Amino acid sequence: VLAYGTNEAGNTGWTVERYRTLYVQLLRRLRLAAPTATILVLGPPDRYIHTRKGWTVLTGIDTIVEAQREAALGEGCAFWDMRAKMGGSGSMRQWVQAGMGSPDYVHFTTPGYRKIGDAVFRDLMSQYDIFVKAREAVASAHTGEPLARHTNN
């Protein structure tokens, strides 16, 4: 499970293409090191920055989410859009007001982290049977044998 991007979104030098290229390289290194691993990319949460005008949505999150989604899907990895699960762009304000986001408008509080963790768990488990069948089909297509013969599961 990879969860990057919150800090990188503050760097205005990133383009979708540049960040996607970097992320594809990372995913390929991981795939080379662990060819049968299942990789889940967690996109960054919504985030604000403080400016002279007050708190404003950090638009760099858009770039990071798009680049990570494209890289993950292009490399056969799962992508979970945390910001979308939170409620989309600008949702961190509601999380802070509800006591689930920190006053820095970047991090979660303990209840917020629990809520996100529960959401990831629920979404993963709701798709687990589909995943197992798909993984079995892919393994069988490559080897001609059921996956169970190739793992200790």
Side-chain angles (χ1 to χ4, degrees):
V1 177
L2 303 174
Y4 295 100
T6 307
N7 294 329
E8 291 92 327
N11 180 341
T12 58
W14 288 117
T15 63
V16 170
E17 295 75 22
R18 284 185 61 225
Y19 195 81
R20 181 182 54 233
T21 298
L22 176 78
Y23 218 79
V24 164
Q25 291 171 353
L26 170 64
L27 294 173
R28 287 181 179 170
R29 277 191 309 226
L30 292 172
R31 183 72 68 213
L32 185 62
T36 61
T38 300
I39 300 172
L40 170 62
V41 175
L42 299 180
D46 191 46
R47 178 180 166 190
Y48 278 63
I49 58 170
H50 195 265
T51 68
R52 286 184 219 156
K53 296 179 182 180
W55 289 102
T56 185
V57 174
L58 182 64
T59 57
I61 295 288
D62 296 333
T63 299
I64 302 302
V65 169
E66 183 178 344
Q68 286 183 356
R69 176 182 282 113
E70 290 175 7
L73 299 179
E75 295 301 311
C77 303
F79 180 78
W80 194 79
D81 191 338
M82 189 180 319
R83 182 177 61 165
K85 200 63 164 183
M86 290 175 66
S89 181
S91 60
M92 183 56 92
R93 180 179 308 279
Q94 289 78 34
W95 282 65
V96 170
Q97 290 169 346
M100 293 187 295
S102 286
D104 66 3
Y105 286 78
V106 177
H107 300 93
F108 297 105
T109 60
T110 298
Y113 281 114
R114 283 192 181 123
K115 184 171 183 70
I116 287 293
D118 288 345
V120 171
F121 177 78
R122 278 192 317 274
D123 286 354
L124 286 175
M125 296 315 296
S126 74
Q127 299 297 310
Y128 185 72
D129 289 337
I130 295 167
F131 162 76
V132 169
K133 289 176 185 170
R135 185 172 167 99
E136 178 69 33
V138 169
S140 294
H142 288 308
T143 66
E145 298 176 10
L147 182 63
R149 295 181 189 226
H150 299 282
T151 66
N152 294 326
N153 295 348

